[in-house]
Structure formats: C-alpha cells, structure tokens
Amino acid sequence: MGIDPMWDDLSESLSDLRRCGRLRKLTPTDSRGVRLVLEDGSELVNFGSNDYLGLAAVVGESSPDRMSAGATASALVCGWTRRHQCLADRIAALEETEAAVVFPSGYAACSGTIAALGRSGDLILSDQLNHASLIDGCRLSRADCIVYPHRDMNSLAEVLARCRGQYGRAWIVTNTVFSMDGHLAPLAELADIGDQFDANLIVDEAHATGVLGDRGSGACEWLGVKDRVAVRIGTLSKALGSQGGFVAGPGVVIDYLLNHCRPLIYSTSLALPAVESAIEAFDRIEREPERRQRVRTLAERVRMSLGLECDPVEAVVPILPIPVGQDGRAVELSARLRRSGLYVPAIRPPTVPDGQARLRVSLSASHSDEMVQRLIAGLATL
Ligand SMILES: Cc1ncc(COP(=O)(O)O)c(C=O)c1O
C-alpha cells in the first residue's frame, strides 16, 4: 500500500534512517531457553537477551502453558515474538488500521507516542482533563503544547485559528472516555476541527476498548469516526483484563514509532503471559458481545435509577462519577458504603480539581443484578 502524502515528513525521516543504515524493524522470533527460533524455523544461539541467570524459562515453567515469563529484551532486540506480532495483528484488525504495535503498558504507549510524534516546530492541543500519561507525553515532547478547556470546541478552534500558521504539524490529543468523569470526547467535532486546521487526532481509548462500539473497538467506532482518527492508543489492562498498551494507525506512523518512541526502544517488551491473555481477551470480545452489552445496560440502569443526567450517547459508559465536593466528605461516604459491603473509591485532588472530590463507580459485566441493586440502594441513601 502506498504511503499517504499526509505523512510525508515521517516517511522522509524513515528514508534518512534507511540511507544511513539505521532503520530499525521488528523481526518476530521465538525463544527456547538460550535458543532463538527464526521465522523460517532455523535456530540461533541467543547472545542478545538480558536473561542473565536463565530464569525466564524456569519461572515461566510454573505457568499453565509453560511459557517464558519475561520477554527478556526490548522488542527491537529479541523481545518481539510471533505471539507479539499475532497480538499486534489482532489489534490492527479490530481497529481497522494498517498496523499496530504493543507496549509494556498503556502509560508507556500514551506518553511515548506523543513524545515521539510531537516534534520541535509542532503544536499539540491537549484537553484539560486528559490522563496523566497523555500530559506527560506532551511534557516530554519537543512540541509547543496548549491546553484547551475540557471539550470546549470553540476555544480549540480559536487557538488553532490564532496559532496554526506558526507551526509545522499540529496534533489534537484527547482521551475518548475521560476516566474520572465518564464523559466522551466530541470526536466528530474534533475531527471536523482537525480537517479545518490540518491537525491530526491522537486519541486514548483506554476506557473504551472492548466496551464501546458494535465490535467493541472503542469510542471511535461508537461515534462513527474510525476513519477520521489517525492514531489510536489503548490499553490491554482495563476491559481486556491483561496488561500492556498499544498504538494502532497507519504503517508509516507505527514504523516511525519503532524508530523514535523511547519506551519501545529502551524498555523490555511486553511479558508473554500478558500477550497470551490479551490474545484470548480479543477472541472473547469477538465471540462474546454479550459482555459489552451487559456492562452498557448496567451503566444505563444505574444512571437512570440514580437520576444522573448525561448525553444519551454517554449513558452506556461504565464509569459513573457521583459528585461530592469536599475531600473529607467523599472519604466519609466511601467509608459508609464500605460498611455495607460496597467498595466505591473516593477520588480526591490532584486526580480531580480542588473542590470536586467524588465517588467513582466503575461497573463490570460480572456484577450481578443483585449487586447492582445494592449499589443503587446504597448510593440512594447517602
Ligand atoms: C485514560 C488512561 N490512559 C492510559 C492509562 C494507562 O494505562 P495502563 O494502566 O495500561 O498503563 C490509564 C490507566 O490508568 C488511563 O486511565
């Protein structure tokens, strides 16, 4: 497939690396102790891993499938197995993107991707309530960063109208589901503004992957903007019940990350048990749509029972903040619920702004009707 001219600058930078013999690529291999099995089945004695005591296979022995535990090296050295590639291919298929790559955590995926893509001379526009991993990515990048008020599309357009001309590339960075508020980002409006001002969207689907959309790929699918959001980051550690993070997008963006994104280059690749459990979770997301239907139905039920108002499109988000205000009061209410057998954490600053402490309910498809009834009754008495 040809490279979209939109990414000419990234592809030129990759060509420069190729010219000077520094282009890095992933080569899937499998480890058998100190032997490395290549894709064609041939074997090499492995002098590239950091498994100094030979324990990766030994501690992996106790796992049900007797796999090596850690990946023993970064993805670009010898920590990228055929199972990592299989997981990346599954993600790209679900996301309907050209390519994907997996990271040791969602935090690393968010911070590393933004730090790598936001280069000197670029502008990053970041929603005020973005997750810390996105904020840290903005801070680590060499781009100028402007924070716009939460979901305020007029302010965003205004900043871009004023500043866009001074920058090379512009990026709009947002959570798709805001983890402390249960809000959805207005992705269609963001994409319109992106088109208007030639700015690319980078979104963090951490709380949406597996939950939203008919196929469970997230909020971009749910809001019908999959083809308008270039770079989608997600985590394997929430709805997928595993560990790790991912980025899905055009092949050239993924190749660029492999060559410039520090957590991919300088951190040990995702552990194999996490890779296997994430692959199984993707199977289940495909085979068991009833899980996402269940949690979305519960979210609607609890919101309706408690009279929590929100946009109908947001009613299915399984994160429900119960506004409280003062920190002490939030802690007290959380303790009261605990005494009746319910764990609902109190969220205080700096996770939320001063004076906006809250209880945060997060629902699961595994909650029974009876449990949810107790939650509703408990919250109603506060
Ligand atoms: C919105 C958001 N992005 C990213 C992350 C980081 O993901 P992980 O826990 O896999 O590092 C989290 C989780 O805490 C999150 O809530």
Side-chain angles (χ1 to χ4, degrees):
M1 194 183 294
I3 293 173
D4 188 326
M6 176 162 96
W7 303 110
D8 274 353
D9 51 345
L10 300 192
S11 109
E12 272 162 31
S13 146
L14 291 171
S15 301
D16 288 345
L17 287 176
R18 188 176 298 111
R19 261 194 297 281
C20 59
R22 289 192 177 166
L23 188 71
R24 303 171 202 226
K25 282 186 168 175
L26 289 175
T27 316
T29 53
D30 280 329
S31 283
R32 303 260 181 282
V34 283
R35 293 182 191 284
L36 206 55
V37 185
L38 306 186
E39 274 185 298
D40 65 2
S42 60
E43 283 191 8
L44 301 173
V45 180
N46 188 359
F47 289 104
S49 92
N50 300 313
D51 182 21
Y52 304 117
L53 302 182
L55 285 177
V58 176
V59 293
E61 282 271 296
S62 55
S63 73
D65 21 26
R66 303 165 85 81
M67 65 180 84
S68 168
T72 78
S74 97
L76 289 155
V77 178
C78 55
W80 187 259
T81 66
R82 280 182 295 177
R83 298 301 282 167
H84 286 81
Q85 189 57 53
C86 168
L87 173 57
D89 292 344
R90 289 296 297 267
I91 293 166
L94 182 66
E95 293 285 352
E96 298 176 273
T97 56
E98 259 175 23
V101 66
V102 300
F103 285 70
S105 71
Y107 183 94
C110 289
S111 56
T113 298
I114 293 163
L117 292 176
R119 293 164 302 165
S120 172
D122 286 5
L123 173 65
I124 301 178
L125 287 314
S126 171
D127 187 287
Q128 185 189 10
L129 293 191
N130 274 347
H131 187 258
S133 56
L134 300 173
I135 297 172
D136 290 356
C138 295
R139 290 178 180 160
L140 285 167
S141 82
R142 311 250 163 160
D144 285 352
C145 183
I146 298 177
V147 175
Y148 60 90
H150 181 49
R151 301 199 295 182
D152 184 337
M153 295 300 98
N154 290 335
S155 295
L156 175 63
E158 209 176 279
V159 175
L160 278 162
R162 192 158 25 87
C163 304
R164 178 68 185 95
Q166 302 158 36
Y167 292 94
R169 193 175 277 283
W171 304 94
I172 301 172
V173 174
T174 185
N175 280 28
T176 60
V177 170
F178 288 87
S179 44
M180 294 301 138
D181 299 80
H183 293 160
L184 275 171
L187 294 174
E189 288 92 324
L190 284 166
D192 289 344
I193 292 179
D195 288 347
Q196 189 184 347
F197 293 99
D198 184 24
N200 301 111
L201 257 64
I202 303 178
V203 301
D204 175 9
E205 291 266 41
H207 293 273
T209 307
V211 175
L212 299 182
D214 279 354
R215 297 174 64 226
S217 70
C220 291
E221 183 193 349
W222 178 235
L223 299 179
V225 295
K226 259 182 140 172
D227 53 345
R228 305 184 70 197
V229 177
V231 183
R232 275 169 258 151
I233 313 176
T235 177
L236 306 169
S237 66
K238 299 191 191 297
L240 283 121
S242 179
Q243 188 84 32
F246 66 83
V247 178
V252 62
V253 172
I254 302 303
D255 287 347
Y256 186 85
L257 292 176
L258 285 170
N259 284 273
H260 294 278
C261 178
R262 293 166 77 83
L264 276 181
I265 303 171
Y266 299 111
S267 185
T268 301
S269 185
L270 185 62
L272 285 140
V275 171
E276 291 302 334
S277 47
I279 291 173
E280 173 164 359
F282 280 112
D283 283 344
R284 295 204 175 234
I285 282 174
E286 204 176 302
R287 285 201 320 263
E288 299 171 8
E290 61 278 11
R291 286 181 184 269
R292 56 183 171 276
Q293 277 149 15
R294 164 91 184 151
V295 74
R296 298 190 312 217
T297 304
L298 290 181
E300 287 178 314
R301 187 189 303 166
V302 176
R303 279 193 172 85
M304 204 190 296
S305 306
L306 295 174
L308 297 173
E309 281 181 15
C310 78
D311 188 316
V313 84
E314 263 171 14
V316 292
V317 172
I319 299 171
L320 291 80
I322 315 289
V324 175
Q326 292 314 307
D327 300 3
R329 177 94 181 120
V331 173
E332 184 195 316
L333 294 181
S334 174
R336 204 191 293 173
L337 290 167
R338 199 183 179 109
R339 286 192 289 278
S340 50
L342 303 165
Y343 177 62
V344 182
I347 310 290
R348 290 168 285 168
T351 309
V352 291
D354 274 336
Q356 292 185 30
R358 64 199 67 173
L359 299 175
R360 177 181 183 268
V361 173
S362 82
L363 295 165
S364 162
S366 297
H367 286 132
S368 66
D369 286 350
E370 184 268 335
M371 289 168 180
V372 171
Q373 247 351 92
R374 277 172 57 204
L375 171 80
I376 293 168
L379 289 172
T381 59
L382 293 180

